[in-house]
Amino acid sequence: MKKLIWMAAGIALLTGEAARAEDAAGDWAGVIAGQLHIVVHLTRGSDGQLTGSLESLDQGDAKIPLGAVDAPPDHLKFTVPPINGSYDATWNDAKAQWTGTWHQGRDIPLDLHRAVAAEIAAPRRPQEEAIAHGQLPYVTEQISFTNYQTEGVTLRGAFSKPAGAGPFPTVVLISGSGPNDRDENLLGHKLFLVLADYLNRQGLAVLRYDKRGVGESTGDYATATTADFISDALAATTYLKTRSDVDQRHVGLIGHSEGGLIAPAVAVADPGVDFIVLMAGTGLRGDKVLLRQSELIERANGAPEAVVAKDAAMRKAAFAIIESSNDPADARIKLNPGVERAVANGTFTKEIGDQYVAALTTPWSYSFLRYDPAPILQKVRVPVLAIGGSLDLQVEPQENLAAIKAALSEDSDVTVRELPGLNHLFQEAKTGSPAEYGRIDETLSPKALQIIADWCLARSDPKSQ
């Protein structure tokens, strides 16, 4: 799912220098809303002026340049224009830190102290490192295929298979929302690289591809909707029919998050699909998923219940307007009066309000909020494995898995499992907050990998025919 976190963030350098209020130059660390670990780098030039950047180890994004930096004695102010953020603090001599407020649509207390080594060490990625440096018992081919349904969009990716001639049971990996590449690279983790590696080692071939307009694929990502991504996934299964090394009796789909919406639609449209796996797939309509997601993440980030309730009411009102609108342009017109009222009463700034409306009325957001997966799920007649992590705050597992199971009541082979202790990325987690994702070394839980592979292999056995 799309990131519903206030800001981007990153990594810092170590300095052993003692903190001094009269010299703000250096690297300063803090935590926003109890979750997002940020580091601010400040450098003093030969002209005496400070410049800098902001990063977060949790979200793993690139350094974000600061705007104006002002640091008279005992005071520090700076702006972060790319994310509409700012910071204003005074020096607390007793605590040897800057005590102030981060502002990005709302005010959040934020203290900054001199960064230390433990806060700046980049997380390891042991599973990905093992793939990069180990001997691989499979071969990988760079491939491309064309979706002729949408003006010839060309999708490029990788096809990996065990050694030998085959044919091999094969799965297509379908990524979640956002501009994902063939590895589903999220916050420094390559989920699909690790998943494909494991499946290849168990005897399955794997196709994974860059989404349209991402990586090496052509097309326009910005205007694409879930329907477009369904069309692209259908082009992937059509491509597999041209390969002699694919066992055409055993072709499956594994969809993560939004991919869990796409896989059932492809299975209904293409009779050549034999089984599907839904990893954190949604069973509820998009607006209900995002309402619940926002509430859970705000609570995990330490927001007071009054704030959670107020924000939920605002989102419900906005989503109701989108549901009743004729198209994105109509939705924007109808949302604007509410935004103007919120700006007038100080809920957020006009700039944040305009961004809020723009985000809700992109082609993807507009269609996703209105998309109900149940009618498609009710038509599925192939084996289905639906799994969710008990700590998933983005696609809450209990309600969504129950809705998926109910919609698949006419399907004869359905396995639904909630996996304890796993988050939305199927990592072993503590809280499930998206702020944890980048700080967890593990990319995919071994127990999740085994469950997926064992189930797929069981449905790929010739005896299953």
Side-chain angles (χ1 to χ4, degrees):
M1 308 296 292
K2 292 185 181 301
K3 285 195 293 187
L4 299 181
I5 303 175
W6 287 312
M7 55 168 301
I11 297 174
L13 300 175
L14 173 65
T15 70
E17 178 185 9
R20 297 179 301 165
E22 67 272 15
D23 187 2
D27 303 306
W28 302 88
V31 184
I32 294 179
Q35 295 290 325
L36 299 178
H37 298 77
I38 71 162
V39 177
V40 177
H41 304 282
L42 295 175
T43 302
R44 191 176 299 280
S46 58
D47 59 358
Q49 297 299 308
L50 286 168
T51 58
S53 62
L54 180 148
E55 294 184 288
S56 163
L57 288 171
D58 297 319
Q59 294 179 304
D61 292 331
K63 291 182 181 179
I64 304 171
L66 303 184
V69 181
D70 185 22
D74 299 330
H75 201 88
L76 175 63
K77 293 177 64 177
F78 59 79
T79 61
V80 194
I83 56 173
N84 298 304
S86 63
Y87 183 61
D88 192 333
T90 56
W91 180 251
N92 185 321
D93 195 54
K95 295 183 177 181
Q97 67 181 23
W98 298 104
T99 299
T101 301
W102 170 257
H103 181 81
Q104 193 182 22
R106 63 180 60 179
D107 291 335
I108 306 169
L110 173 63
D111 298 332
L112 295 177
H113 58 269
R114 189 70 74 175
V116 296
E119 295 168 305
I120 64 176
R124 293 182 59 246
R125 299 290 181 256
Q127 291 166 302
E128 296 166 31
E129 292 166 7
I131 295 170
H133 302 296
Q135 186 172 356
L136 306 180
Y138 54 86
V139 294
T140 301
E141 173 189 350
Q142 304 306 305
I143 56 91
S144 67
F145 54 92
T146 299
N147 181 351
Y148 294 103
Q149 300 300 314
T150 53
E151 298 182 359
V153 168
T154 297
L155 290 307
R156 294 184 172 87
F159 183 85
S160 51
K161 63 181 180 179
F168 303 100
T170 302
V171 294
V172 178
L173 306 187
I174 308 171
S175 68
S177 63
N180 295 312
D181 62 14
R182 68 194 70 182
D183 292 333
E184 200 180 33
N185 198 328
L186 298 169
L187 303 174
H189 290 286
K190 298 179 179 179
L191 274 71
F192 279 2
L193 173 69
V194 172
L195 178 55
D197 172 82
Y198 189 87
L199 296 175
N200 287 152
R201 293 174 186 271
Q202 308 308 308
L204 294 162
V206 179
L207 171 65
R208 51 198 168 94
Y209 56 94
D210 301 334
K211 293 176 82 166
R212 63 166 64 193
V214 178
E216 298 178 2
S217 294
T218 68
D220 186 359
Y221 171 80
T223 60
T225 66
T226 300
D228 295 312
F229 298 132
I230 291 170
S231 179
D232 291 341
L234 274 167
T237 59
T238 300
Y239 165 76
L240 290 182
K241 293 178 174 64
T242 69
R243 297 189 65 108
S244 60
D245 50 1
V246 171
D247 181 352
Q248 302 297 335
R249 302 167 303 163
H250 299 106
V251 172
L253 310 173
I254 301 178
H256 177 226
S257 198
E258 186 193 12
L261 286 180
I262 294 168
V266 176
V268 169
D270 185 348
V273 173
D274 299 284
F275 57 88
I276 58 176
V277 178
L278 314 181
M279 299 174 63
T282 61
L284 303 174
R285 198 173 68 180
D287 58 345
K288 297 183 183 298
V289 172
L290 293 189
L291 280 171
R292 184 65 170 148
Q293 176 187 110
S294 300
E295 292 176 14
L296 291 173
I297 292 176
E298 283 191 351
R299 287 194 181 99
N301 287 344
E305 282 302 313
V307 172
V308 174
K310 181 179 179 181
D311 288 350
M314 180 179 67
R315 290 188 188 96
K316 286 179 183 178
F319 292 173
I321 289 172
I322 289 173
E323 173 63 22
S324 65
S325 63
N326 299 317
D327 53 45
D330 183 43
R332 283 191 288 273
I333 293 171
K334 292 178 177 178
L335 286 168
N336 282 331
V339 169
E340 291 171 0
R341 288 193 295 273
V343 171
N345 64 31
T347 301
F348 43 64
T349 65
K350 183 178 186 305
E351 190 171 31
I352 293 296
D354 290 343
Q355 291 178 354
Y356 181 68
V357 171
L360 289 180
T361 56
T362 65
W364 182 88
S365 294
Y366 183 83
S367 64
F368 178 81
L369 286 166
R370 298 157 59 95
Y371 189 92
D372 184 356
I376 289 293
L377 286 167
Q378 290 164 3
K379 297 177 182 178
V380 173
R381 293 296 182 270
V382 298
V384 178
L385 170 65
I387 58 174
S390 67
L391 296 181
D392 189 344
L393 304 187
Q394 291 189 249
V395 178
E396 192 280 328
Q398 292 184 346
E399 292 183 350
N400 281 282
L401 289 176
I404 289 171
K405 186 175 182 179
L408 292 170
S409 60
E410 298 299 316
D411 197 354
S412 61
D413 185 355
V414 176
T415 303
V416 177
R417 294 188 61 176
E418 182 178 322
L419 307 184
L422 303 190
N423 61 18
H424 185 64
L425 304 191
F426 292 88
Q427 302 167 303
E428 297 281 352
K430 293 180 180 178
T431 69
S433 169
E436 283 185 318
Y437 297 168
R439 297 294 292 166
I440 298 173
D441 290 348
E442 178 181 81
T443 294
L444 269 174
S445 165
K447 69 182 180 184
L449 289 168
Q450 183 175 357
I451 288 168
I452 294 168
D454 288 351
W455 187 90
C456 289
L457 288 169
R459 272 68 189 174
S460 300
D461 191 311
K463 298 177 182 177
S464 69
Q465 293 295 306

